[in-house]
Amino acid sequence: VTPHFLSDLPPTVKSTETCLDPMATQPLLYAPPRRRSYRLAAGIAVASCALVALATRSWVPLSSAVSRSPVLSRFAAPASLAQLSNPSVARTLARMAPLGRGEAGMVAGRSMFLRGSPSLTAVGAMGGAHAGATSGDYDYDLFVIGAGSGGVRASRISAGYGAKVAVADDLAVGLGGTCVNVGCVPKKLMAYGSEITTEIKDAAGFGWNIEKPGLEWGRLIENKNNEINRLNGIYEKMLGNAGVDVIKGRATLKGPHTVAVGDKEFTADKILVAVGGWPVLPDIPGKEHMISSNEIFYLKEAPKKPMILGSGYIAVEFAGILHGYGADVNLVIRRDSILKGFDKDCADFLRDSMIKEGINIHMHNEATKIEKRGENDYLVTLKDGTTVEADMILAAIGRNPKTSGLGLEEVGIELDRNGGVVVQKDGQTNVPSIYAIGDC
């Protein structure tokens, strides 16, 4: 008998091997909730096996307990697991070891949930997909390359629907990708801090006598790092709780269904490329002295005379942030305004406001050469021939897809001129088993 809420699943995913995976099989033991004897017997069977499983940290098949119960055996499938009407008890079973391929027993779900109907109650394990639940002979249903915003979300949601999922990340910036580690989150922390000087200046008009504040840049960076580390831990725990295998290392494609991480290879029915983008540096003499929007968050000292190349929102934001922290900022832009693609009136108004606040904007210009004269002492030559002294040069001229060296071309995936993966509307590449999302 198949519960009605699983009746619309394909026959190929209703096998006993996948053991309580809600999107891959039927629960193998269930009972009408109105018959207390059935529910009580099922609960006793689950509880007794659960105690042994938790004590031994291994899976325990329930078929033996079921076969000894004449009440339960009437409602049990051949490779019985268990029906359970108490979701709080189910959640306590969330840390048991996974089943091997084709084994029957209590599944190692990271989270459990209760499914019900007027005539029956059943429990399934969600997010703990295991070897028996994969498509065909693959190690995983889905292998995700890149644990940034797109990769983490895709991994969690897919695992939540019962797929066996792995995500690999080279940790070049950390779990969570650019946004969490070297983007939105730390930028906001620094932006909030940079506004303090303006608030202190305004405080005088409200009757406050506040002396000029002192800045401890090292404390700012340390506190920022602590917050980012906390978020990294949350992301890793969140993936683990969803049943996703987190593999720390650089992944490369070896075939339409094969991924290598270090000296290990993994196979998957579907592969998702979600590696994001990476900052681009202008190719000029002395470019090795530049930093990107990655390194800006880890400076040991606050820059006093920074130069920023670029007119996009990253460049403009850091011009304002560093100015707020007391720096004498030079912003070099190739046009006569900033934020190309944004509303022109707003962009021009912001440009004029930045100049009024004391930010030096070099319009119709670009850096052509950088000379190092000493420690944190550089001389930058601009296109118009002028030279500007700087103690830090930030290049924020754009980002390209981080696809180099992934093996995409070797597998036959079509790329655009910037290295971006060409996809259809649903994210599928020209290799049917491989998809891509995000900035790559």
Side-chain angles (χ1 to χ4, degrees):
V1 180
T2 301
H4 71 86
F5 59 85
L6 293 173
S7 60
D8 57 344
L9 293 181
T12 55
V13 299
K14 294 178 182 175
S15 70
T16 58
E17 294 183 4
T18 48
C19 302
L20 286 186
D21 184 338
M23 292 303 291
T25 187
Q26 56 182 329
L28 298 179
L29 175 62
Y30 50 90
R34 291 191 179 89
R35 300 295 295 274
R36 292 186 178 181
S37 59
Y38 301 153
R39 297 175 64 183
L40 178 60
I44 293 173
V46 171
S48 60
C49 289
L51 289 174
V52 177
L54 292 173
T56 60
R57 299 188 65 82
S58 61
W59 70 272
V60 177
L62 295 174
S63 52
S64 58
V66 169
S67 63
R68 289 195 296 267
S69 170
V71 176
L72 290 179
S73 61
R74 293 173 55 191
F75 293 90
S80 301
L81 297 185
Q83 180 268 349
L84 186 63
S85 58
N86 188 340
S88 64
V89 175
R91 284 191 291 271
T92 68
L93 310 179
R95 296 294 180 183
M96 294 189 299
L99 303 179
R101 183 179 300 279
E103 296 173 330
M106 188 171 288
V107 73
R110 271 63 172 187
S111 60
M112 310 285 281
F113 70 99
L114 186 67
R115 300 289 297 263
S117 74
S119 60
L120 58 89
T121 302
V123 167
M126 182 175 183
H130 49 86
T134 55
S135 304
D137 294 325
Y138 301 116
D139 298 322
Y140 293 97
D141 296 309
L142 175 66
F143 196 105
V144 180
I145 303 177
S149 299
V152 167
R153 181 69 174 171
S155 300
R156 287 178 54 231
I157 298 302
S158 297
Y161 280 117
K164 185 179 183 185
V165 183
V167 59
D169 194 275
D170 60 9
L171 301 182
V173 295
L175 289 179
T178 296
C179 183
V180 171
N181 297 276
V182 289
C184 323
V185 174
K187 181 265 296 181
K188 288 176 181 176
L189 296 176
M190 296 179 74
Y192 295 153
S194 70
E195 296 171 357
I196 300 297
T197 51
T198 301
E199 293 175 357
I200 291 175
K201 186 188 302 183
D202 293 341
F206 294 93
W208 292 96
N209 294 319
I210 301 177
E211 297 181 1
K212 184 177 180 180
L215 172 65
E216 290 190 25
W217 181 266
R219 189 198 307 166
L220 165 68
I221 299 301
E222 181 182 1
N223 291 341
K224 184 271 298 179
N225 291 343
N226 290 338
E227 176 61 14
I228 299 307
N229 290 336
R230 184 184 73 86
L231 294 176
N232 292 151
I234 290 175
Y235 268 77
E236 185 162 11
K237 183 177 180 180
M238 187 166 52
L239 287 166
N241 288 343
V244 178
D245 291 339
V246 179
I247 302 172
K248 298 178 180 179
R250 179 170 173 77
T252 56
L253 288 169
K254 296 299 180 181
H257 296 280
T258 306
V259 177
V261 182
D263 57 356
K264 295 183 179 180
E265 289 193 354
F266 305 90
T267 58
D269 182 33
K270 298 290 188 296
I271 298 171
L272 177 65
V273 180
V275 293
W278 201 254
V280 174
L281 301 181
D283 189 14
I284 62 173
K287 69 176 183 178
E288 66 273 13
H289 304 308
M290 299 180 189
I291 66 171
S292 72
S293 56
N294 289 347
E295 296 80 28
I296 187 70
F297 294 107
Y298 296 95
L299 296 178
K300 294 182 179 180
E301 298 178 359
K304 295 179 174 60
K305 295 187 297 181
M307 171 174 284
I308 300 175
L309 310 179
S311 61
Y313 61 87
I314 295 177
V316 171
E317 283 176 334
F318 274 107
I321 288 171
L322 296 179
H323 176 74
Y325 278 110
D328 179 17
V329 179
N330 285 280
L331 178 64
V332 181
I333 64 177
R334 293 190 295 178
R335 302 166 56 247
D336 61 356
S337 194
I338 56 176
L339 301 177
K340 181 181 179 181
F342 289 76
D343 182 90
K344 189 175 187 307
D345 290 338
C346 291
D348 290 346
F349 178 81
L350 178 58
R351 174 204 60 196
D352 296 341
S353 298
M354 293 172 68
I355 294 173
K356 184 178 179 179
E357 286 293 317
I359 296 175
N360 307 303
I361 299 182
H362 303 264
M363 291 179 275
H364 298 291
N365 235 319
E366 55 188 299
T368 58
K369 183 174 66 172
I370 301 172
E371 301 174 68
K372 183 174 182 178
R373 304 188 301 186
E375 186 68 22
N376 295 329
D377 183 13
Y378 307 98
L379 187 67
V380 183
T381 302
L382 302 183
K383 186 176 69 172
D384 64 2
T386 60
T387 57
V388 181
E389 294 181 344
D391 61 357
M392 182 213 77
I393 302 110
L394 168 63
I397 62 171
R399 299 169 64 88
N400 278 342
K402 190 186 173 186
T403 55
S404 178
L406 284 182
L408 299 175
E409 293 175 297
E410 289 78 359
V411 177
I413 294 176
E414 182 182 357
L415 305 177
D416 63 23
R417 60 185 180 87
N418 291 324
V421 182
V422 178
V423 297
Q424 303 175 25
K425 289 183 179 180
D426 61 354
Q428 188 180 42
T429 70
N430 59 309
V431 178
S433 60
I434 301 176
Y435 292 73
I437 58 172
D439 293 339
C440 63

